[in-house]
Amino acid sequence: MDREIPPSYDPKKVEDKWYKIWEERGLFEPSFDPSKPKFSMVIPPPNVTGSLHIGHALNNTIQDVLARYKRMDGYDVLWIPGTDHAGIATQNVVERELAKEGLTREALGREKFIERVWQWKEQYGNRIVHQLRKLGASCSWKFERFTMDEGLSRAVREVFYRLWNEGLIYRGDYIINWCPRCHTALADLEVEFEPSPGKLWYIRYFLESGEGAIVVATTRPETMLGDTAVAVHPEDLRYKTLIGKFVRLPIIERRIPIIADNRVDPEFGTGAVKVTPAHDFNDFEIARTHNLPAVKVIDESGRMTESAGPLAGLDRFTARQEIIRLLEEGGYLEKVEDYEVVLGHCYRCNTVIEPLLSKQWFVRMKPLAGPAISAVEYEFIRFYPDSWKNLYFDWMSRIRDWCVSRQIWWGHRIPVWYCQDCGEVIVSRDEKVEHCIECGSPNLRAEEDVLDTWFSSALWPFSTMGWPEKTETLKRFYPTSVLVTSFDIIFFWVARMIMMGIHFMGAIPFEKVYIHALVRDEKGQKMSKSKGNVIDPLEMIEIYGTDALRFTLVALCAQGRDIKLSPARIEGYRHFINKIWNAGRYVLMNLEGISERELELIKDNSLSLFSKWILNRLDQTVTKVREKMEEFEFDQSALLLYHFFWDDFCDWYIEISKIYLKDEFRKKETQTVLYYVFSESLKLLHPFIPFITEELWQYLPSNSKKFLIQESYPQARNFVLSEEEKFLVDLIMELIVSIRNIKAEYRLVSQKKIPVYYKNERKILNLIEQEKEIVKFLAKIDDIIFVEDYTRKKGDIVQILSSGELYFDLTNYIDYRKERERLLKEKAQLEEKMRRAEQKLSNPQFLERAPLEVIEKERRTYEEMNERIKKIQNLLTGLEDSGS
């Protein structure tokens, strides 16, 4: 060892140093070595506007654990990083910056505005990429991509061009979700729905014949001047005689028919509904069936059009109040009821969206969805946990055509040109078209709209590898091995990647999809700035170090269960990081006098009992960790390593080694085992906590002078423990724990002279005798007397073990009467607390109103108190049996 290991671990001195070395040496990059199996992933590209939040931290930690594990396991690993141009989000950010200068994008013009966005991207857009490095993400940075870089832009144009030629892209009048604030269309998935208190207005539509009226119920009276029919269910007996007749539209007296359609719900309102094709999705479909015209009464800014008659020019919400006033004045309004409505909001600015009839570009999804459904159905692609595939199937079976055009400036401009002379529509894979392909005219107008951000993201697995070129990267690493993502973008992204991958590559884009949990606060609530419960990963890294944050996230990410995170939990795992450092110091300080060659030799046939045991436990841990890693049970892998290192290695073997190292016959063997188990543990832990493990690795002698990241992941070496040896280890541990527990219960932890007797048959006593010093040292007693026969004396406390009996003579150490009183008092207090908890848990109001985590905590506390009472009863029984 060339240098002395510091007394404590300081992440700030280690993390940036190691990341820089790994990256500069190219240790994250693939080798393209054909003799190695391949493993590849693409990072879910974060928005260029973003900064690292706790969800990113979890997602990228899991990916990094996989990448490092596979790299150490002999795989050629490609992990492609990159960022998304995030159309609306980025445009909004830059527009806010312009507003500070008193400018608007319209004032700048499209070209200058796009220049400003690129400037902003160069200045601020790489922030999250640097933060990913801070997290330790071992991405293949030489392959980093941006959804609007030259190669990906070419791929986007190519895909649009091919889909157009295949008849899978079309432009047409269609009802779409429109944001009047962002002035753009939104895909269904970009609309966030939430219930809101509203009203149901009952309006009389008078029959043209003058024979009365049909009453229509609506939640949106401001759109009624766009009605082109009234619809009823064909089997609704109330309206059978009215079907085919006409009514006059209130206020403007337009003549509209009463039609029958199966899509009408007879239970809603009066069973008669107004049909407004230009402003309602269902009405649009009804209108297409019945060839009804569409009258647009709300424009792109949320204002009423000329077709809205007396409401023209009013804001849509103001128009609602005005139409209600006019209806009341004209005697059209029958009644108003309170009614909960579900309002759609723009996912970016939270404005209430407006269904609008508009000219948009669409992708026909049903032909693409079929093969994508089959790929999951026949398990060419598997979801982890498996239950997520049901959500995937549900959405895919109800898929609608995808509106891919957006009325913004930042993004991939739709590669379409319109000839102003002959009217030809030109779709091209080229970046620019100069002349009409039909008439040769240079008088062309480029399409103004850009593509939905998710269009380019859908191509991410193959476009990042160089498609449409047939690159070596594609040949070697497509399809990718696994996609790690969250459930909220299964529709936005995962499904679309599967469709596009199969369609353009003829192969699935990934073999496995791991859906990780959501990170919530310690109470299970969603994190939000308004609640003040957001945990900033960068702040946690600053306080506790990257490894502590990473290990916490992985240890808590059980499949199918959300993570309840708090700084206290991260601090708890920071103690584990410190434990590893201190264990490393102990091992290194006890390697003197042994050569590097001797450290590598383990003669397992002549090892001491507990040296054999720890090697066997290491073997078991390696096997189970590997098994859990392959099943994506990362939390189980992390916890297996945690308990092996802390419980087995530190709490047992390191403590036992303090006895073994004093024995000249056992010293070298113990040094070798300490070194071996510690170095193998560093390898096992490296994918989870890369920084501290690499730092400690460099202090180890005989570490082959390679970096830990380059080492092979451990394999089980078949260190066997016989049945007799297992029995002995378990019995010795039980002895030690039982002695510790009795001393703790009677508050005698510091007392070493307590007479302790262990009774068993001579054969077992002879076997344990060899490890007697270990029992004395770990139980903190001066002696333990092994006996074949023992007559219990008055005052003896007895403990029955799985084999044999323990006797404690506490006559000179405790006042039996006072102990009994103390235990009875504690028992009474616990019973009273349990009674109150029982009342609470049997109270229906508490169970209905209290948050689930509060109820669970109450139940846990109840069980803990119950267990403690059982222990106290056993102690009381022991005191009574002692005869004192």
Side-chain angles (χ1 to χ4, degrees), residues 12 76 125 160 165 196 218 466 490 523 537 541 566 577 644 696 765 774 790 879:
K12 291 185 177 72
D76 190 19
F160 192 95
N165 285 333
S196 180
T218 180
I490 288 175
K523 295 176 183 173
I541 287 171
S566 67
I577 303 301
F644 168 76
L696 282 166
L765 294 175
I774 288 170
Y790 183 82
L879 287 170

PDB file of all heavy atoms in Angstrom, residues 12 76 125 160 165 196 218 466 490 523 537 541 566 577 644 696 765 774 790 879:
ATOM      1  N   LYS A  12     -16.632  14.521  -1.482  1.00  0.00           N
ATOM      2  CA  LYS A  12     -16.264  15.685  -2.309  1.00  0.00           C
ATOM      3  C   LYS A  12     -14.852  15.559  -2.877  1.00  0.00           C
ATOM      4  O   LYS A  12     -14.551  16.107  -3.938  1.00  0.00           O
ATOM      5  CB  LYS A  12     -16.385  16.973  -1.494  1.00  0.00           C
ATOM      6  CG  LYS A  12     -17.824  17.351  -1.142  1.00  0.00           C
ATOM      7  CD  LYS A  12     -17.863  18.698  -0.439  1.00  0.00           C
ATOM      8  CE  LYS A  12     -19.284  19.139  -0.145  1.00  0.00           C
ATOM      9  NZ  LYS A  12     -19.919  18.362   0.927  1.00  0.00           N
ATOM     10  N   ASP A  76     -20.110  -6.115 -23.853  1.00  0.00           N
ATOM     11  CA  ASP A  76     -19.745  -4.889 -24.562  1.00  0.00           C
ATOM     12  C   ASP A  76     -20.949  -3.964 -24.434  1.00  0.00           C
ATOM     13  O   ASP A  76     -22.015  -4.241 -24.997  1.00  0.00           O
ATOM     14  CB  ASP A  76     -19.463  -5.220 -26.031  1.00  0.00           C
ATOM     15  CG  ASP A  76     -18.857  -4.045 -26.774  1.00  0.00           C
ATOM     16  OD1 ASP A  76     -18.324  -3.130 -26.123  1.00  0.00           O
ATOM     17  OD2 ASP A  76     -18.923  -4.051 -28.026  1.00  0.00           O
ATOM     18  N   GLY A 125     -28.606  24.369 -22.237  1.00  0.00           N
ATOM     19  CA  GLY A 125     -29.200  23.069 -22.542  1.00  0.00           C
ATOM     20  C   GLY A 125     -28.417  21.865 -22.076  1.00  0.00           C
ATOM     21  O   GLY A 125     -28.952  20.760 -22.052  1.00  0.00           O
ATOM     22  N   PHE A 160     -41.083  10.659 -41.964  1.00  0.00           N
ATOM     23  CA  PHE A 160     -42.278  11.367 -42.433  1.00  0.00           C
ATOM     24  C   PHE A 160     -42.517  11.070 -43.916  1.00  0.00           C
ATOM     25  O   PHE A 160     -43.648  10.764 -44.329  1.00  0.00           O
ATOM     26  CB  PHE A 160     -42.118  12.873 -42.209  1.00  0.00           C
ATOM     27  CG  PHE A 160     -43.396  13.650 -42.402  1.00  0.00           C
ATOM     28  CD1 PHE A 160     -44.197  13.962 -41.316  1.00  0.00           C
ATOM     29  CD2 PHE A 160     -43.796  14.067 -43.671  1.00  0.00           C
ATOM     30  CE1 PHE A 160     -45.387  14.674 -41.497  1.00  0.00           C
ATOM     31  CE2 PHE A 160     -44.967  14.771 -43.863  1.00  0.00           C
ATOM     32  CZ  PHE A 160     -45.770  15.078 -42.757  1.00  0.00           C
ATOM     33  N   ASN A 165     -45.699   8.336 -48.147  1.00  0.00           N
ATOM     34  CA  ASN A 165     -45.777   7.510 -49.355  1.00  0.00           C
ATOM     35  C   ASN A 165     -46.544   6.211 -49.115  1.00  0.00           C
ATOM     36  O   ASN A 165     -47.104   5.631 -50.054  1.00  0.00           O
ATOM     37  CB  ASN A 165     -44.373   7.194 -49.879  1.00  0.00           C
ATOM     38  CG  ASN A 165     -43.752   8.405 -50.567  1.00  0.00           C
ATOM     39  OD1 ASN A 165     -44.468   9.267 -51.082  1.00  0.00           O
ATOM     40  ND2 ASN A 165     -42.431   8.482 -50.576  1.00  0.00           N
ATOM     41  N   SER A 196     -63.902  19.079 -11.852  1.00  0.00           N
ATOM     42  CA  SER A 196     -64.082  20.461 -11.411  1.00  0.00           C
ATOM     43  C   SER A 196     -65.577  20.724 -11.219  1.00  0.00           C
ATOM     44  O   SER A 196     -66.397  20.203 -11.984  1.00  0.00           O
ATOM     45  CB  SER A 196     -63.488  21.393 -12.475  1.00  0.00           C
ATOM     46  OG  SER A 196     -63.638  22.735 -12.104  1.00  0.00           O
ATOM     47  N   THR A 218     -76.770  20.708 -21.244  1.00  0.00           N
ATOM     48  CA  THR A 218     -75.372  20.923 -21.681  1.00  0.00           C
ATOM     49  C   THR A 218     -74.547  21.528 -20.560  1.00  0.00           C
ATOM     50  O   THR A 218     -75.068  22.263 -19.716  1.00  0.00           O
ATOM     51  CB  THR A 218     -75.310  21.836 -22.916  1.00  0.00           C
ATOM     52  OG1 THR A 218     -73.937  22.010 -23.302  1.00  0.00           O
ATOM     53  CG2 THR A 218     -75.920  23.208 -22.645  1.00  0.00           C
ATOM     54  N   GLY A 466     -27.693   6.021 -35.937  1.00  0.00           N
ATOM     55  CA  GLY A 466     -27.274   6.400 -37.281  1.00  0.00           C
ATOM     56  C   GLY A 466     -28.245   6.112 -38.396  1.00  0.00           C
ATOM     57  O   GLY A 466     -27.950   6.413 -39.562  1.00  0.00           O
ATOM     58  N   ILE A 490     -45.563   5.348 -20.855  1.00  0.00           N
ATOM     59  CA  ILE A 490     -45.784   4.113 -21.618  1.00  0.00           C
ATOM     60  C   ILE A 490     -46.490   4.464 -22.925  1.00  0.00           C
ATOM     61  O   ILE A 490     -46.171   3.935 -23.992  1.00  0.00           O
ATOM     62  CB  ILE A 490     -46.612   3.094 -20.803  1.00  0.00           C
ATOM     63  CG1 ILE A 490     -45.760   2.513 -19.656  1.00  0.00           C
ATOM     64  CG2 ILE A 490     -47.115   1.954 -21.697  1.00  0.00           C
ATOM     65  CD1 ILE A 490     -46.511   1.587 -18.726  1.00  0.00           C
ATOM     66  N   LYS A 523     -44.385  10.507   3.460  1.00  0.00           N
ATOM     67  CA  LYS A 523     -45.779  10.201   3.776  1.00  0.00           C
ATOM     68  C   LYS A 523     -46.503   9.565   2.594  1.00  0.00           C
ATOM     69  O   LYS A 523     -47.695   9.307   2.652  1.00  0.00           O
ATOM     70  CB  LYS A 523     -46.512  11.478   4.194  1.00  0.00           C
ATOM     71  CG  LYS A 523     -45.990  12.076   5.493  1.00  0.00           C
ATOM     72  CD  LYS A 523     -46.688  13.388   5.787  1.00  0.00           C
ATOM     73  CE  LYS A 523     -46.106  14.023   7.056  1.00  0.00           C
ATOM     74  NZ  LYS A 523     -46.664  15.384   7.258  1.00  0.00           N
ATOM     75  N   PRO A 537     -32.161  16.138  -5.639  1.00  0.00           N
ATOM     76  CA  PRO A 537     -31.062  15.159  -5.606  1.00  0.00           C
ATOM     77  C   PRO A 537     -29.692  15.812  -5.527  1.00  0.00           C
ATOM     78  O   PRO A 537     -28.785  15.272  -4.880  1.00  0.00           O
ATOM     79  CB  PRO A 537     -31.235  14.382  -6.912  1.00  0.00           C
ATOM     80  CG  PRO A 537     -32.079  15.238  -7.781  1.00  0.00           C
ATOM     81  CD  PRO A 537     -32.949  16.032  -6.877  1.00  0.00           C
ATOM     82  N   ILE A 541     -26.873  15.083  -2.775  1.00  0.00           N
ATOM     83  CA  ILE A 541     -25.491  14.712  -3.135  1.00  0.00           C
ATOM     84  C   ILE A 541     -24.501  15.601  -2.389  1.00  0.00           C
ATOM     85  O   ILE A 541     -23.488  15.131  -1.874  1.00  0.00           O
ATOM     86  CB  ILE A 541     -25.296  14.795  -4.664  1.00  0.00           C
ATOM     87  CG1 ILE A 541     -26.011  13.629  -5.349  1.00  0.00           C
ATOM     88  CG2 ILE A 541     -23.821  14.830  -5.041  1.00  0.00           C
ATOM     89  CD1 ILE A 541     -26.071  13.709  -6.864  1.00  0.00           C
ATOM     90  N   SER A 566     -37.075  10.199   2.181  1.00  0.00           N
ATOM     91  CA  SER A 566     -36.834  11.341   3.063  1.00  0.00           C
ATOM     92  C   SER A 566     -35.327  11.506   3.233  1.00  0.00           C
ATOM     93  O   SER A 566     -34.570  10.542   3.067  1.00  0.00           O
ATOM     94  CB  SER A 566     -37.467  11.093   4.440  1.00  0.00           C
ATOM     95  OG  SER A 566     -36.798  10.027   5.108  1.00  0.00           O
ATOM     96  N   ILE A 577     -22.304   3.727   3.908  1.00  0.00           N
ATOM     97  CA  ILE A 577     -21.104   4.142   3.154  1.00  0.00           C
ATOM     98  C   ILE A 577     -19.922   4.292   4.114  1.00  0.00           C
ATOM     99  O   ILE A 577     -18.809   3.823   3.826  1.00  0.00           O
ATOM    100  CB  ILE A 577     -21.368   5.466   2.397  1.00  0.00           C
ATOM    101  CG1 ILE A 577     -22.573   5.336   1.444  1.00  0.00           C
ATOM    102  CG2 ILE A 577     -20.127   5.928   1.652  1.00  0.00           C
ATOM    103  CD1 ILE A 577     -22.459   4.274   0.384  1.00  0.00           C
ATOM    104  N   PHE A 644     -25.312  -8.611   3.815  1.00  0.00           N
ATOM    105  CA  PHE A 644     -24.092  -9.425   3.830  1.00  0.00           C
ATOM    106  C   PHE A 644     -22.929  -8.613   4.383  1.00  0.00           C
ATOM    107  O   PHE A 644     -22.200  -9.074   5.273  1.00  0.00           O
ATOM    108  CB  PHE A 644     -23.746  -9.931   2.424  1.00  0.00           C
ATOM    109  CG  PHE A 644     -22.361 -10.524   2.362  1.00  0.00           C
ATOM    110  CD1 PHE A 644     -22.114 -11.778   2.890  1.00  0.00           C
ATOM    111  CD2 PHE A 644     -21.287  -9.804   1.825  1.00  0.00           C
ATOM    112  CE1 PHE A 644     -20.824 -12.314   2.878  1.00  0.00           C
ATOM    113  CE2 PHE A 644     -20.008 -10.337   1.807  1.00  0.00           C
ATOM    114  CZ  PHE A 644     -19.779 -11.594   2.331  1.00  0.00           C
ATOM    115  N   LEU A 696     -11.570   2.909  -2.579  1.00  0.00           N
ATOM    116  CA  LEU A 696     -11.015   1.889  -1.687  1.00  0.00           C
ATOM    117  C   LEU A 696     -10.213   0.854  -2.478  1.00  0.00           C
ATOM    118  O   LEU A 696      -9.191   0.358  -2.005  1.00  0.00           O
ATOM    119  CB  LEU A 696     -12.140   1.194  -0.911  1.00  0.00           C
ATOM    120  CG  LEU A 696     -12.707   1.997   0.268  1.00  0.00           C
ATOM    121  CD1 LEU A 696     -14.023   1.400   0.749  1.00  0.00           C
ATOM    122  CD2 LEU A 696     -11.703   2.049   1.426  1.00  0.00           C
ATOM    123  N   LEU A 765     -20.270 -29.910  23.012  1.00  0.00           N
ATOM    124  CA  LEU A 765     -19.434 -29.002  23.818  1.00  0.00           C
ATOM    125  C   LEU A 765     -17.988 -29.038  23.332  1.00  0.00           C
ATOM    126  O   LEU A 765     -17.315 -28.000  23.286  1.00  0.00           O
ATOM    127  CB  LEU A 765     -19.515 -29.383  25.293  1.00  0.00           C
ATOM    128  CG  LEU A 765     -20.891 -29.205  25.964  1.00  0.00           C
ATOM    129  CD1 LEU A 765     -20.848 -29.731  27.396  1.00  0.00           C
ATOM    130  CD2 LEU A 765     -21.325 -27.745  25.946  1.00  0.00           C
ATOM    131  N   ILE A 774     -14.251 -16.832  20.973  1.00  0.00           N
ATOM    132  CA  ILE A 774     -15.137 -15.991  20.162  1.00  0.00           C
ATOM    133  C   ILE A 774     -16.414 -15.684  20.923  1.00  0.00           C
ATOM    134  O   ILE A 774     -16.891 -14.542  20.946  1.00  0.00           O
ATOM    135  CB  ILE A 774     -15.458 -16.686  18.822  1.00  0.00           C
ATOM    136  CG1 ILE A 774     -14.214 -16.669  17.920  1.00  0.00           C
ATOM    137  CG2 ILE A 774     -16.640 -16.031  18.099  1.00  0.00           C
ATOM    138  CD1 ILE A 774     -14.328 -17.519  16.686  1.00  0.00           C
ATOM    139  N   TYR A 790     -26.383 -29.751  34.784  1.00  0.00           N
ATOM    140  CA  TYR A 790     -26.428 -28.541  35.608  1.00  0.00           C
ATOM    141  C   TYR A 790     -27.710 -28.560  36.434  1.00  0.00           C
ATOM    142  O   TYR A 790     -28.800 -28.812  35.910  1.00  0.00           O
ATOM    143  CB  TYR A 790     -26.417 -27.288  34.719  1.00  0.00           C
ATOM    144  CG  TYR A 790     -26.387 -25.986  35.505  1.00  0.00           C
ATOM    145  CD1 TYR A 790     -25.186 -25.487  36.008  1.00  0.00           C
ATOM    146  CD2 TYR A 790     -27.560 -25.279  35.751  1.00  0.00           C
ATOM    147  CE1 TYR A 790     -25.156 -24.301  36.726  1.00  0.00           C
ATOM    148  CE2 TYR A 790     -27.547 -24.093  36.474  1.00  0.00           C
ATOM    149  CZ  TYR A 790     -26.337 -23.603  36.955  1.00  0.00           C
ATOM    150  OH  TYR A 790     -26.309 -22.431  37.676  1.00  0.00           O
ATOM    151  N   LEU A 879     -38.174 -14.933  35.682  1.00  0.00           N
ATOM    152  CA  LEU A 879     -37.949 -14.478  37.061  1.00  0.00           C
ATOM    153  C   LEU A 879     -38.709 -15.345  38.057  1.00  0.00           C
ATOM    154  O   LEU A 879     -38.199 -15.697  39.126  1.00  0.00           O
ATOM    155  CB  LEU A 879     -38.379 -13.011  37.209  1.00  0.00           C
ATOM    156  CG  LEU A 879     -37.461 -11.970  36.570  1.00  0.00           C
ATOM    157  CD1 LEU A 879     -38.118 -10.611  36.583  1.00  0.00           C
ATOM    158  CD2 LEU A 879     -36.111 -11.896  37.288  1.00  0.00           C
TER     159      LEU A 879
END
